[in-house]
Amino acid sequence: MELLKLFNLSPHRFRITNFVGGIKMEAENEIRREKYVADISSIREAEVRIKSFIHKAPVLSSESLNAVSGRQLFFKCECFQKGGAFKFRGACNAVFSLDNDEAAKGVVTHSSGNHAAALSLAAKLRGIPAYIVIPNGAPKCKVENVMRYGGQVIWSEATMQSRESVASKVLQETGAVLVHPYNDGRIISGQGTISLEFLEQAPQIDTLIVPISGGGLISGVALAAKSINPTIRILAAEPRGADDAARSKAAGRIITLPETNTVADGLRAFLGNFTWPIVRDLVEDIVTVEDNEIIEAMKLCYEILKVVVEPSGAIGLAAVLSDSFKNNPALKNCSNIGIILSGGNVDLGRLWDSYRK
Amino acid sequence: MELLKLFNLSPHRFRITNFVGGIKMEAENEIRREKYVADISSIREAEVRIKSFIHKAPVLSSESLNAVSGRQLFFKCECFQKGGAFKFRGACNAVFSLDNDEAAKGVVTHSSGNHAAALSLAAKLRGIPAYIVIPNGAPKCKVENVMRYGGQVIWSEATMQSRESVASKVLQETGAVLVHPYNDGRIISGQGTISLEFLEQAPQIDTLIVPISGGGLISGVALAAKSINPTIRILAAEPRGADDAARSKAAGRIITLPETNTVADGLRAFLGNFTWPIVRDLVEDIVTVEDNEIIEAMKLCYEILKVVVEPSGAIGLAAVLSDSFKNNPALKNCSNIGIILSGGNVDLGRLWDSYRK
């Protein structure tokens, strides 16, 4: 019950039978929306709740990139979102979902970056404290964002174990509410509001390509998009060095990795028990790309689109331009592709150094 | 007459008496629009002409930058324009203003960059040749843009003299039409379409800050904006190392410099006889900034707005954040400031090198 309360669920909306250790697969031909931790109603509620706080990020397109990819590409620039990433949508929805008593004690999370900054900003807007457990080695610009938005930084070791144990200590001491970076219905619902905007801005989209890490973004995006257009195709993009989601899809259960190795620092988390069923059921395929493809895609974002993205943010474009995508006959009829440029928080120190010489 | 025809003017709309060697000042209290080489009608005509070809660049805002500047800032992202800069508006208007016989022989210009790429792209869209005289030492990315859009590159020395003599040789050989980068009514009218969009997207704007070089952009922007809102304030931003426009305003006549020295490679041109009267009459003040302020503003554009700008593109923000702006009592009531991020074509090789190490 503790966990159900935490995620603001009533038991009848939560039917996965074993949510701590893994997922008990159910043999169902028809997937019912109600089984997920979020749905189109919770996403529309989130939209109303966060509308006055968020930016409606513009959609850009480029004939040069259309020519390179051989498709019509539409870029939803969530790097322009407050806090520099889509994460603010979910964090804002979570923070403003709390009742006054819950909110008063503040919120806590452990995150390497964008969610932490987003939660700090959302908490600041509500006037409540945000306690942020950050692992050593997190990108400097992301830590600075947390501090700029008034989050209280508590350092941990880089392991998930250390992050969780520090966070749980903070929880006990403060009585604050844990807001998980992705495995949370309120977070998933907030991220899903992207689809409501995107499919209104570019209704011709037949395919969405979404970065996948813990699965919060793609879960929300898929639930909303499939509800608006049941024939839309949802693809995930994942770095080869952190391809747990692709392995999970192949295995039919959550797979985690002993370690990850990728330039995309935002894509190193593993699927959670709330995001996995949605990814399992609604994501058609996962395109894995190499780090050098991610860097090449970043370069195109900067040089052609003129948009600053972090490596994780460029992975959707990397996927579309990859040989495995181009040569996949099943993806031939993906003509109008929506790509989510998920974030733009990247250390550019070397660039400025080059000007100062 | 040759020149009048070149700039598509009827003599009664052109009353500056000495346009080759300088400007004969007229003592008039009330400046009449008709004396300029463009006006709101030619700008609205340009809008109709180019609408289907250009991007309507979005307007971004940032609470962080509002806080830093103490004003509400609105950023018109012309770096997202086709070709990576506002220049495509004017070039497109010029190319599609030509009648079929004129157009058939192509267009020619001498430019260090953004105008050249823009003209190449516009010519490509019309299916006519573009001959581009480029001075040695022009930024690599800008030359690449010209080539990508199919412009035929002809190299010259870096001096204006060499550029002009090579261009005039090309003119003679090809019979193509010269499209000057800024000193041209069609160009000014095309650039002016920015104001039509910008003041619709952010009608609360009371002040526009515009980069100034040859004056094509600010002339069009000022003519359109003043016509829509006569009380709007037009300010120019100029690098200290190429402050010919500020000197011209102070002297009441066009001043040129023996040399320029600034990181903003796009802002090294001098006012022309068509742009000067508009700058003289409609631009309230010129804010000069140092190169290090330009770099700092670029950094903010990348790190806060997540927008790739070239140094010239960031100068409007640099001006707003400069001490001379902040401490100027005459600018105290500039509350809602529109800034044109004019272009984003910048060599980022060092950034990619840092990832490849």
Side-chain angles (χ1 to χ4, degrees), chain A residues 228-244:
Chain A
I228 294 168
N229 172 9
T231 67
I232 203 165
R233 197 179 286 213
I234 311 291
L235 303 174
E238 191 174 44
R240 178 88 56 199
D243 65 348
D244 55 290

PDB file of all heavy atoms in Angstrom, chain A residues 228-244:
ATOM      1  N   ILE A 228      -4.159   8.646 -29.496  1.00  0.00           N
ATOM      2  CA  ILE A 228      -4.570   9.611 -30.524  1.00  0.00           C
ATOM      3  C   ILE A 228      -4.618   8.941 -31.895  1.00  0.00           C
ATOM      4  O   ILE A 228      -5.521   9.153 -32.685  1.00  0.00           O
ATOM      5  CB  ILE A 228      -3.586  10.804 -30.543  1.00  0.00           C
ATOM      6  CG1 ILE A 228      -3.697  11.591 -29.233  1.00  0.00           C
ATOM      7  CG2 ILE A 228      -3.863  11.719 -31.739  1.00  0.00           C
ATOM      8  CD1 ILE A 228      -2.569  12.599 -29.027  1.00  0.00           C
ATOM      9  N   ASN A 229      -3.618   8.120 -32.181  1.00  0.00           N
ATOM     10  CA  ASN A 229      -3.520   7.466 -33.490  1.00  0.00           C
ATOM     11  C   ASN A 229      -3.031   6.032 -33.291  1.00  0.00           C
ATOM     12  O   ASN A 229      -1.824   5.782 -33.231  1.00  0.00           O
ATOM     13  CB  ASN A 229      -2.540   8.256 -34.378  1.00  0.00           C
ATOM     14  CG  ASN A 229      -2.253   7.528 -35.677  1.00  0.00           C
ATOM     15  OD1 ASN A 229      -2.896   6.530 -36.011  1.00  0.00           O
ATOM     16  ND2 ASN A 229      -1.268   8.030 -36.416  1.00  0.00           N
ATOM     17  N   PRO A 230      -3.977   5.073 -33.205  1.00  0.00           N
ATOM     18  CA  PRO A 230      -3.602   3.689 -32.876  1.00  0.00           C
ATOM     19  C   PRO A 230      -2.641   3.064 -33.877  1.00  0.00           C
ATOM     20  O   PRO A 230      -1.951   2.101 -33.548  1.00  0.00           O
ATOM     21  CB  PRO A 230      -4.943   2.947 -32.889  1.00  0.00           C
ATOM     22  CG  PRO A 230      -5.971   4.004 -32.650  1.00  0.00           C
ATOM     23  CD  PRO A 230      -5.447   5.253 -33.296  1.00  0.00           C
ATOM     24  N   THR A 231      -2.534   3.609 -35.093  1.00  0.00           N
ATOM     25  CA  THR A 231      -1.636   2.996 -36.075  1.00  0.00           C
ATOM     26  C   THR A 231      -0.233   3.597 -36.042  1.00  0.00           C
ATOM     27  O   THR A 231       0.635   3.175 -36.806  1.00  0.00           O
ATOM     28  CB  THR A 231      -2.188   3.145 -37.506  1.00  0.00           C
ATOM     29  OG1 THR A 231      -2.162   4.532 -37.860  1.00  0.00           O
ATOM     30  CG2 THR A 231      -3.615   2.626 -37.604  1.00  0.00           C
ATOM     31  N   ILE A 232      -0.026   4.592 -35.188  1.00  0.00           N
ATOM     32  CA  ILE A 232       1.307   5.212 -35.143  1.00  0.00           C
ATOM     33  C   ILE A 232       2.327   4.173 -34.658  1.00  0.00           C
ATOM     34  O   ILE A 232       2.015   3.298 -33.849  1.00  0.00           O
ATOM     35  CB  ILE A 232       1.308   6.476 -34.245  1.00  0.00           C
ATOM     36  CG1 ILE A 232       2.450   7.408 -34.637  1.00  0.00           C
ATOM     37  CG2 ILE A 232       1.399   6.101 -32.771  1.00  0.00           C
ATOM     38  CD1 ILE A 232       2.306   8.806 -34.057  1.00  0.00           C
ATOM     39  N   ARG A 233       3.533   4.279 -35.196  1.00  0.00           N
ATOM     40  CA  ARG A 233       4.577   3.339 -34.858  1.00  0.00           C
ATOM     41  C   ARG A 233       5.513   3.972 -33.829  1.00  0.00           C
ATOM     42  O   ARG A 233       5.969   5.096 -34.028  1.00  0.00           O
ATOM     43  CB  ARG A 233       5.348   3.053 -36.135  1.00  0.00           C
ATOM     44  CG  ARG A 233       6.201   1.848 -36.110  1.00  0.00           C
ATOM     45  CD  ARG A 233       6.862   1.713 -37.459  1.00  0.00           C
ATOM     46  NE  ARG A 233       5.929   1.256 -38.477  1.00  0.00           N
ATOM     47  CZ  ARG A 233       6.304   0.482 -39.499  1.00  0.00           C
ATOM     48  NH1 ARG A 233       7.556   0.104 -39.626  1.00  0.00           N
ATOM     49  NH2 ARG A 233       5.435   0.096 -40.397  1.00  0.00           N
ATOM     50  N   ILE A 234       5.787   3.268 -32.762  1.00  0.00           N
ATOM     51  CA  ILE A 234       6.679   3.792 -31.721  1.00  0.00           C
ATOM     52  C   ILE A 234       7.977   2.991 -31.743  1.00  0.00           C
ATOM     53  O   ILE A 234       7.981   1.784 -31.534  1.00  0.00           O
ATOM     54  CB  ILE A 234       6.050   3.666 -30.307  1.00  0.00           C
ATOM     55  CG1 ILE A 234       4.619   4.209 -30.268  1.00  0.00           C
ATOM     56  CG2 ILE A 234       6.944   4.343 -29.269  1.00  0.00           C
ATOM     57  CD1 ILE A 234       4.481   5.691 -30.432  1.00  0.00           C
ATOM     58  N   LEU A 235       9.072   3.699 -32.008  1.00  0.00           N
ATOM     59  CA  LEU A 235      10.387   3.064 -32.003  1.00  0.00           C
ATOM     60  C   LEU A 235      11.241   3.697 -30.908  1.00  0.00           C
ATOM     61  O   LEU A 235      11.115   4.893 -30.629  1.00  0.00           O
ATOM     62  CB  LEU A 235      11.080   3.268 -33.355  1.00  0.00           C
ATOM     63  CG  LEU A 235      10.325   2.772 -34.593  1.00  0.00           C
ATOM     64  CD1 LEU A 235      11.076   3.168 -35.862  1.00  0.00           C
ATOM     65  CD2 LEU A 235      10.121   1.260 -34.542  1.00  0.00           C
ATOM     66  N   ALA A 236      12.094   2.891 -30.310  1.00  0.00           N
ATOM     67  CA  ALA A 236      13.027   3.413 -29.307  1.00  0.00           C
ATOM     68  C   ALA A 236      14.428   3.475 -29.903  1.00  0.00           C
ATOM     69  O   ALA A 236      14.755   2.716 -30.814  1.00  0.00           O
ATOM     70  CB  ALA A 236      13.030   2.505 -28.074  1.00  0.00           C
ATOM     71  N   ALA A 237      15.235   4.390 -29.405  1.00  0.00           N
ATOM     72  CA  ALA A 237      16.639   4.478 -29.814  1.00  0.00           C
ATOM     73  C   ALA A 237      17.493   4.312 -28.565  1.00  0.00           C
ATOM     74  O   ALA A 237      17.251   4.970 -27.544  1.00  0.00           O
ATOM     75  CB  ALA A 237      16.917   5.817 -30.484  1.00  0.00           C
ATOM     76  N   GLU A 238      18.491   3.466 -28.656  1.00  0.00           N
ATOM     77  CA  GLU A 238      19.276   3.104 -27.466  1.00  0.00           C
ATOM     78  C   GLU A 238      20.752   2.950 -27.837  1.00  0.00           C
ATOM     79  O   GLU A 238      21.062   2.448 -28.913  1.00  0.00           O
ATOM     80  CB  GLU A 238      18.742   1.762 -26.925  1.00  0.00           C
ATOM     81  CG  GLU A 238      19.287   1.401 -25.564  1.00  0.00           C
ATOM     82  CD  GLU A 238      18.632   0.155 -24.994  1.00  0.00           C
ATOM     83  OE1 GLU A 238      18.458  -0.829 -25.744  1.00  0.00           O
ATOM     84  OE2 GLU A 238      18.298   0.167 -23.789  1.00  0.00           O
ATOM     85  N   PRO A 239      21.668   3.383 -26.965  1.00  0.00           N
ATOM     86  CA  PRO A 239      23.089   3.187 -27.280  1.00  0.00           C
ATOM     87  C   PRO A 239      23.490   1.716 -27.125  1.00  0.00           C
ATOM     88  O   PRO A 239      23.011   1.041 -26.210  1.00  0.00           O
ATOM     89  CB  PRO A 239      23.824   4.038 -26.231  1.00  0.00           C
ATOM     90  CG  PRO A 239      22.802   4.522 -25.262  1.00  0.00           C
ATOM     91  CD  PRO A 239      21.448   4.065 -25.675  1.00  0.00           C
ATOM     92  N   ARG A 240      24.373   1.279 -27.996  1.00  0.00           N
ATOM     93  CA  ARG A 240      24.851  -0.108 -27.950  1.00  0.00           C
ATOM     94  C   ARG A 240      25.452  -0.427 -26.582  1.00  0.00           C
ATOM     95  O   ARG A 240      25.280  -1.535 -26.064  1.00  0.00           O
ATOM     96  CB  ARG A 240      25.921  -0.313 -29.034  1.00  0.00           C
ATOM     97  CG  ARG A 240      26.531  -1.700 -29.072  1.00  0.00           C
ATOM     98  CD  ARG A 240      25.762  -2.655 -29.934  1.00  0.00           C
ATOM     99  NE  ARG A 240      25.624  -2.118 -31.286  1.00  0.00           N
ATOM    100  CZ  ARG A 240      24.716  -2.524 -32.164  1.00  0.00           C
ATOM    101  NH1 ARG A 240      23.857  -3.474 -31.860  1.00  0.00           N
ATOM    102  NH2 ARG A 240      24.650  -1.972 -33.351  1.00  0.00           N
ATOM    103  N   GLY A 241      26.125   0.542 -25.981  1.00  0.00           N
ATOM    104  CA  GLY A 241      26.797   0.295 -24.707  1.00  0.00           C
ATOM    105  C   GLY A 241      25.873   0.313 -23.496  1.00  0.00           C
ATOM    106  O   GLY A 241      26.336   0.218 -22.358  1.00  0.00           O
ATOM    107  N   ALA A 242      24.569   0.459 -23.742  1.00  0.00           N
ATOM    108  CA  ALA A 242      23.598   0.408 -22.637  1.00  0.00           C
ATOM    109  C   ALA A 242      22.297  -0.145 -23.210  1.00  0.00           C
ATOM    110  O   ALA A 242      21.230   0.443 -23.070  1.00  0.00           O
ATOM    111  CB  ALA A 242      23.382   1.797 -22.038  1.00  0.00           C
ATOM    112  N   ASP A 243      22.412  -1.310 -23.854  1.00  0.00           N
ATOM    113  CA  ASP A 243      21.287  -1.828 -24.645  1.00  0.00           C
ATOM    114  C   ASP A 243      20.390  -2.780 -23.866  1.00  0.00           C
ATOM    115  O   ASP A 243      19.882  -3.765 -24.410  1.00  0.00           O
ATOM    116  CB  ASP A 243      21.805  -2.478 -25.932  1.00  0.00           C
ATOM    117  CG  ASP A 243      22.660  -3.716 -25.651  1.00  0.00           C
ATOM    118  OD1 ASP A 243      23.036  -3.915 -24.466  1.00  0.00           O
ATOM    119  OD2 ASP A 243      22.945  -4.469 -26.594  1.00  0.00           O
ATOM    120  N   ASP A 244      20.178  -2.443 -22.610  1.00  0.00           N
ATOM    121  CA  ASP A 244      19.333  -3.293 -21.763  1.00  0.00           C
ATOM    122  C   ASP A 244      17.897  -3.369 -22.260  1.00  0.00           C
ATOM    123  O   ASP A 244      17.252  -4.411 -22.147  1.00  0.00           O
ATOM    124  CB  ASP A 244      19.349  -2.779 -20.328  1.00  0.00           C
ATOM    125  CG  ASP A 244      18.945  -1.324 -20.265  1.00  0.00           C
ATOM    126  OD1 ASP A 244      19.735  -0.469 -20.724  1.00  0.00           O
ATOM    127  OD2 ASP A 244      17.833  -1.028 -19.797  1.00  0.00           O
TER     128      ASP A 244
END
